[in-house]
Amino acid sequence: VQLQASGGGLVQAGGSLRLSCEASGRTFNGYATSWFRQAPGKEREFVAAVTWSGGTTSYADSVKGRFTIARDRAKTVYLQMNSLKPEDTAVYYCAADPSWVRVRLTPNLWGQGTLVTVSS
Protein backbone atom coordinates (compact mmCIF):
# COMPACT_ATOMS: atom_id res chain seq x y z
CA VAL A 1 0.00 0.00 0.00
CA GLN A 2 1.17 3.51 -0.79
CA LEU A 3 0.06 6.55 1.20
CA GLN A 4 -0.66 9.98 -0.22
CA ALA A 5 -1.06 12.94 2.13
CA SER A 6 -2.68 16.18 1.06
CA GLY A 7 -4.46 19.25 2.41
CA GLY A 8 -1.59 21.28 3.80
CA GLY A 9 -1.30 25.00 3.27
CA LEU A 10 -0.97 28.40 4.87
CA VAL A 11 -3.48 29.42 7.53
CA GLN A 12 -3.70 32.12 10.17
CA ALA A 13 -3.51 31.30 13.84
CA GLY A 14 -6.91 30.19 15.08
CA GLY A 15 -7.87 28.79 11.70
CA SER A 16 -8.54 25.25 10.54
CA LEU A 17 -7.24 22.78 7.99
CA ARG A 18 -8.14 19.21 7.13
CA LEU A 19 -5.45 16.82 6.02
CA SER A 20 -6.23 13.67 4.07
CA CYS A 21 -4.28 10.46 3.70
CA GLU A 22 -5.34 8.15 0.90
CA ALA A 23 -4.23 4.60 0.34
CA SER A 24 -3.40 3.43 -3.14
CA GLY A 25 -2.49 0.00 -4.36
CA ARG A 26 -4.74 -1.51 -1.73
CA THR A 27 -7.01 -0.29 1.01
CA PHE A 28 -6.18 0.36 4.66
CA ASN A 29 -7.75 -3.01 5.45
CA GLY A 30 -6.32 -4.18 8.77
CA TYR A 31 -4.02 -1.19 9.21
CA ALA A 32 -4.04 1.37 11.98
CA THR A 33 -3.15 4.82 10.69
CA SER A 34 -1.33 7.73 12.27
CA TRP A 35 -0.10 11.25 11.66
CA PHE A 36 3.32 12.52 12.61
CA ARG A 37 4.85 15.93 12.11
CA GLN A 38 8.30 17.42 11.86
CA ALA A 39 8.97 21.09 12.49
CA PRO A 40 12.12 22.77 11.18
CA GLY A 41 15.10 21.80 13.28
CA LYS A 42 13.10 19.35 15.37
CA GLU A 43 12.60 15.62 15.46
CA ARG A 44 9.55 13.97 13.99
CA GLU A 45 6.81 13.59 16.59
CA PHE A 46 3.60 11.64 16.94
CA VAL A 47 0.38 13.60 16.49
CA ALA A 48 -2.59 11.22 16.34
CA ALA A 49 -3.59 7.67 15.47
CA VAL A 50 -6.73 5.66 14.80
CA THR A 51 -7.32 1.93 14.76
CA TRP A 52 -8.52 0.08 11.67
CA SER A 53 -12.04 -0.09 13.13
CA GLY A 54 -12.00 3.60 13.95
CA GLY A 55 -13.12 2.80 17.46
CA THR A 56 -9.96 3.87 19.25
CA THR A 57 -7.95 7.04 18.83
CA SER A 58 -4.82 8.44 20.42
CA TYR A 59 -3.51 12.01 20.49
CA ALA A 60 -0.40 13.83 21.56
CA ASP A 61 -1.08 16.10 24.52
CA SER A 62 -0.17 19.14 22.44
CA VAL A 63 -3.10 18.60 20.06
CA LYS A 64 -5.79 17.10 22.31
CA GLY A 65 -9.04 18.99 22.04
CA ARG A 66 -7.96 20.72 18.83
CA PHE A 67 -7.23 17.90 16.35
CA THR A 68 -9.49 15.01 15.40
CA ILE A 69 -8.49 11.91 13.47
CA ALA A 70 -11.12 9.90 11.62
CA ARG A 71 -11.37 7.46 8.76
CA ASP A 72 -13.83 6.36 6.13
CA ARG A 73 -12.65 2.83 6.82
CA ALA A 74 -11.26 1.70 3.52
CA LYS A 75 -9.36 4.38 1.68
CA THR A 76 -8.97 7.69 3.47
CA VAL A 77 -7.92 8.93 6.89
CA TYR A 78 -8.47 12.54 7.88
CA LEU A 79 -6.88 14.88 10.39
CA GLN A 80 -9.13 17.82 11.21
CA MET A 81 -7.03 20.56 12.75
CA ASN A 82 -8.81 23.41 14.53
CA SER A 83 -7.56 26.34 16.60
CA LEU A 84 -4.21 26.13 14.88
CA LYS A 85 -1.19 27.73 16.50
CA PRO A 86 2.11 28.89 15.00
CA GLU A 87 3.80 26.01 16.83
CA ASP A 88 1.73 23.58 14.74
CA THR A 89 3.79 24.62 11.73
CA ALA A 90 5.45 21.47 10.37
CA VAL A 91 5.52 18.91 7.62
CA TYR A 92 2.80 16.41 8.41
CA TYR A 93 3.20 12.75 7.47
CA CYS A 94 0.65 9.97 7.45
CA ALA A 95 1.73 6.46 8.33
CA ALA A 96 0.22 3.01 8.71
CA ASP A 97 0.98 -0.26 10.44
CA PRO A 98 -0.99 -3.37 11.39
CA SER A 99 0.20 -2.93 14.99
CA TRP A 100 -1.50 -0.39 17.27
CA VAL A 101 1.73 -0.05 19.22
CA ARG A 102 4.01 0.40 16.23
CA VAL A 103 1.74 2.83 14.40
CA ARG A 104 2.29 5.33 17.22
CA LEU A 105 6.01 4.76 17.52
CA THR A 106 7.70 3.37 14.40
CA PRO A 107 5.19 2.69 11.62
CA ASN A 108 6.29 0.52 8.73
CA LEU A 109 4.56 2.51 6.01
CA TRP A 110 4.98 6.23 5.40
CA GLY A 111 3.51 8.70 2.98
CA GLN A 112 5.18 11.82 1.70
CA GLY A 113 4.66 14.93 3.81
CA THR A 114 2.36 17.86 3.40
CA LEU A 115 3.42 21.27 4.71
CA VAL A 116 1.25 23.14 7.19
CA THR A 117 2.22 26.73 7.94
CA VAL A 118 0.40 28.69 10.63
CA SER A 119 1.05 32.42 10.65
CA SER A 120 0.70 34.53 13.79
Side-chain angles (χ1 to χ4, degrees):
V1 58
Q2 292 181 323
L3 308 179
Q4 179 77 32
S6 62
L10 174 63
V11 64
Q12 289 188 331
S16 298
L17 279 176
R18 188 176 79 159
L19 305 183
S20 299
C21 178
E22 294 192 17
S24 62
R26 55 165 290 175
T27 66
F28 280 117
N29 188 23
Y31 281 75
T33 309
S34 57
W35 288 93
F36 284 72
R37 67 186 180 186
Q38 187 166 20
K42 295 187 178 181
E43 294 186 353
R44 190 175 298 186
E45 64 176 0
F46 169 77
V47 175
V50 61
T51 55
W52 156 241
S53 69
T56 300
T57 57
S58 178
Y59 296 93
D61 287 344
S62 59
V63 306
K64 278 181 182 176
R66 300 188 298 121
F67 291 11
T68 302
I69 188 170
R71 67 189 315 151
D72 70 358
R73 198 60 185 268
K75 295 286 283 187
T76 309
V77 173
Y78 304 97
L79 184 68
Q80 178 67 43
M81 305 186 296
N82 298 329
S83 302
L84 283 161
K85 304 175 181 180
E87 51 263 44
D88 294 318
T89 295
V91 177
Y92 284 71
Y93 299 88
C94 62
D97 196 286
S99 164
W100 179 236
V101 173
R102 282 200 308 267
V103 78
R104 293 172 290 166
L105 294 175
T106 55
N108 284 332
L109 300 174
W110 290 89
Q112 93 296 348
T114 185
L115 177 62
V116 172
T117 303
V118 184
S119 63
S120 57

